[in-house]
Amino acid sequence: MDTYNVNEKGYYGEFGGAYIPEMLYPNVEELRQQYLSIMNEDSFKEEFNQLLKDYVGRPSPLYFAKRLSEKHGAKIYLKREDLNHTGAHKINNTIGQILMAKKLGKKRIIAETGAGQHGVATATVCALMGIDCVVYMGEIDIARQSPNVARMKMLGAEVRPALSGSRTLKDATNEAIRDWINNPVDTHYIIGSAIGPHPYPDMVTRFQSIISEEIKWQLQEKEGRQNPDYVVACIGGGSNAAGTYYHFLDDEKVGIIAVEAAGKGIDSGESAATSVLGKEGIIHGCKTLLMQTPDGQITEPYSISAGLDYPGVGPMHAHLYNSGRGEFFSVTDNDAMKAGLELCKTEGIIPAIESSHALAIFNHKKFNQNDVVVISLSGRGDKDLNTYIDYFDL
Amino acid sequence: MNRISKKLEENKKLLSIYFTAGYPAIEDTVPVIEALQDSGVDMLEIGLPFSDPLADGPTIQASSTQALKNGMTTEKLFQQLKDIRKTVHIPLIIMGYFNPILQYGVEAFCQKCSDIGIDGLIIPDLPVDVYHEQYQAIFEKHGLINVFLITPQTSEARIRFIDSVSNGFIYMVSSASVTGAKSNFGDAQSEYFERIANMNLKAPQIVGFGISNAETFKAATTHAKGAIIGSAFIKMIQEKGIKGIDAFVKGIQ
């Protein structure tokens, strides 16, 4: 049977692998050799599940959005990752990785962050465990996302500005990688998305796969069936999407829908629609689709949503795109903002702008009345209030 | 015989200099190479700039960013170097990250290097395993030497594997760090240099990262065949320009 999951060499089809400098090899290799056996230890599973339940607040509800369903003519369920502690799916992964770091005997944590959500989720679990935490954040993002910078500081993390290159997420990732090269023994790098060298995309996906695991039994309770007709998620690097798809990857009766950020339009020069605008290449240790110049220099993407403007995409998603298993859409800033406001008014839920991109699917695809469509509501909109205020002139 | 192999047979400690192509100014590439040869450098690494050089410290990052702003591209570098063998006879290595090479096409890139008279490549983010499985045959067909890095954390088994795949020298990273100049080496480095020397590897070792002056050059080459200076050279050329090259090189050897 074809599988859309990772193979033993760390590839999804032709994408993935570990294209890393030798300086990183011992760290990445240690993780590669141990991550699966650690994740399978009973003590690990127990602590992970306990924290997800008591600290994160899982299971997150699978909510039947009645008014939205009536409006768009489908049975729409929202997977409420926005209700997690810290306000997004990111914490599922950071809980898993902090426990992994402890098992590996690491004493110090580093992370990258763009909008600050992953930085906050990392600072949170480091505070929980009493471990030192350094978060790299592009100098430009620090200026744009000051509330999240303050949150990380309150949680005891040190926020270091990335001053190189374009001074945004990709440069923060470069700086975190450089820190890891400089601190090869005591430090664990908590990557925030399903990107990076193998085994990161698979490890992050497995920690996020709790999303689709819960969808299956929750849907069984509500609809008497485990599989929806479609699962829909927004994709930047693609960790919430990877977790939402995971248990449905190889069941082709479940349609997989990915929504990327078109920014101001695919052809505007200000976009983050990697599957359309990207070409195969290497970014942050991973072969995937990425936005670049014809000469192979990585370019800076744009989206109104700071969580979606990554120039690459996780290797799982690159493979879902190339193989045709996933159906990819790109949604502009305007479409996403409208869909976000629509959710506020029809369901009383203010979504993160990332998640609003997934909600805009109904302007791009027509579903049948009886189709069960599960949308990952990956985060809440509190952090985006300023953007909403400016955009709608509230 | 490849110029690198011939140079490695010489009975002396080798000084190799890294510089970023198209820096400080776009047309400086060839004059820098010629001045370095004239000042007595043994071997050169020509840096093909990349937007995201994740193994490099701030000095080389900044020079790469500037070189790209200056308009440097892979094609531009090949154009600049097309007649380089009319005036330059020392070994020339291109050091660059894998993505620009992948976009150019690995086979086409190797062909072009061979046409110009480039002797070898250093691609820090092309791991030895991937090279061995997918690209070694292409490199060797074009007579190119590929250079791999080892670090103080590299296991003995992996060093042996890298040695077996190496057809030139091994690039010995002096410490667990990104590139950048240091003023001296500590005991940990000396132990590491000695440990590697005692392994009696087939490929000679050239030490890089953290070499900046006569003192660090001497310490690095006590056991190794040579040493590479990068960031310290970039800093110098940024301050003094091409006219500073001769004094810099003579101050090392």
Side-chain angles (χ1 to χ4, degrees), chain B residues 69-174:
Chain B
K69 270 195 201 136
N70 293 347
M72 184 47 76
T73 64
T74 311
E75 195 57 60
K76 177 83 186 166
L77 178 60
F78 285 142
Q79 277 168 19
Q80 290 180 336
L81 296 180
K82 72 179 169 20
D83 294 324
I84 198 71
R85 285 304 176 194
K86 290 185 181 159
T87 53
V88 174
H89 55 81
I90 58 175
L92 297 176
I93 295 172
I94 289 184
M95 182 164 186
Y97 288 81
F98 193 38
N99 196 50
I101 297 170
L102 201 59
Q103 300 314 315
Y104 197 87
V106 176
E107 174 96 53
F109 191 91
C110 289
Q111 177 71 56
K112 200 84 190 182
C113 286
S114 154
D115 292 348
I116 287 169
I118 297 294
D119 306 290
L121 295 171
I122 304 176
I123 310 168
D125 59 344
L126 175 60
V128 61
D129 328 71
V130 179
Y131 169 78
H132 185 56
E133 279 170 31
Q134 295 181 41
Y135 301 111
Q136 189 167 358
I138 299 174
F139 279 51
E140 288 179 356
K141 185 173 100 189
H142 293 286
L144 292 169
I145 278 177
N146 194 31
V147 177
F148 298 101
L149 278 57
I150 63 169
T151 80
Q153 270 72 40
T154 310
S155 70
E156 176 163 352
R158 192 163 168 87
I159 293 175
R160 297 269 175 218
F161 174 57
I162 286 171
D163 190 40
S164 75
V165 176
S166 296
N167 54 355
F169 62 91
I170 290 175
Y171 190 134
M172 214 172 126
V173 176
S174 64

Side-chain angles (χ1 to χ4, degrees), chain A residues 13-66:
Chain A
E14 62 193 291
F15 300 110
Y19 294 79
I20 48 171
E22 193 60 33
M23 294 81 99
L24 283 178
Y25 181 83
N27 272 331
V28 172
E29 179 63 10
E30 176 188 32
L31 195 61
R32 188 187 70 80
Q33 283 180 4
Q34 299 201 45
Y35 80 112
L36 288 178
S37 61
I38 291 177
M39 286 175 79
N40 282 323
E41 284 174 20
D42 286 339
S43 63
F44 183 93
K45 284 195 231 171
E46 204 175 300
E47 199 174 358
F48 181 57
N49 290 330
Q50 188 78 43
L51 285 169
L52 288 185
K53 179 167 177 275
D54 296 337
Y55 188 71
V56 176
R58 302 202 73 91
S60 68
L62 183 69
Y63 165 70
F64 176 60
K66 186 160 172 287

Side-chain angles (χ1 to χ4, degrees), chain A residues 78-124:
Chain A
L78 302 178
K79 183 57 175 161
R80 298 290 308 272
E81 293 301 301
D82 61 316
L83 293 177
N84 293 340
H85 179 41
T86 71
H89 70 290
K90 292 285 186 192
I91 190 106
N92 303 328
N93 169 48
T94 59
I95 293 269
Q97 286 206 47
I98 196 81
L99 296 177
M100 180 69 63
K102 274 175 65 183
K103 289 273 185 190
L104 293 169
K106 305 290 180 181
K107 307 278 181 247
R108 177 175 175 268
I109 294 296
I110 53 171
E112 85 294 340
T113 198
Q117 289 306 102
H118 173 59
V120 168
T122 304
T124 298

Side-chain angles (χ1 to χ4, degrees), chain B residues 236-247:
Chain B
M236 184 287 297
I237 203 167
Q238 184 192 5
E239 282 166 25
K240 299 185 183 154
I242 293 173
K243 63 183 188 318
I245 289 179
D246 198 56

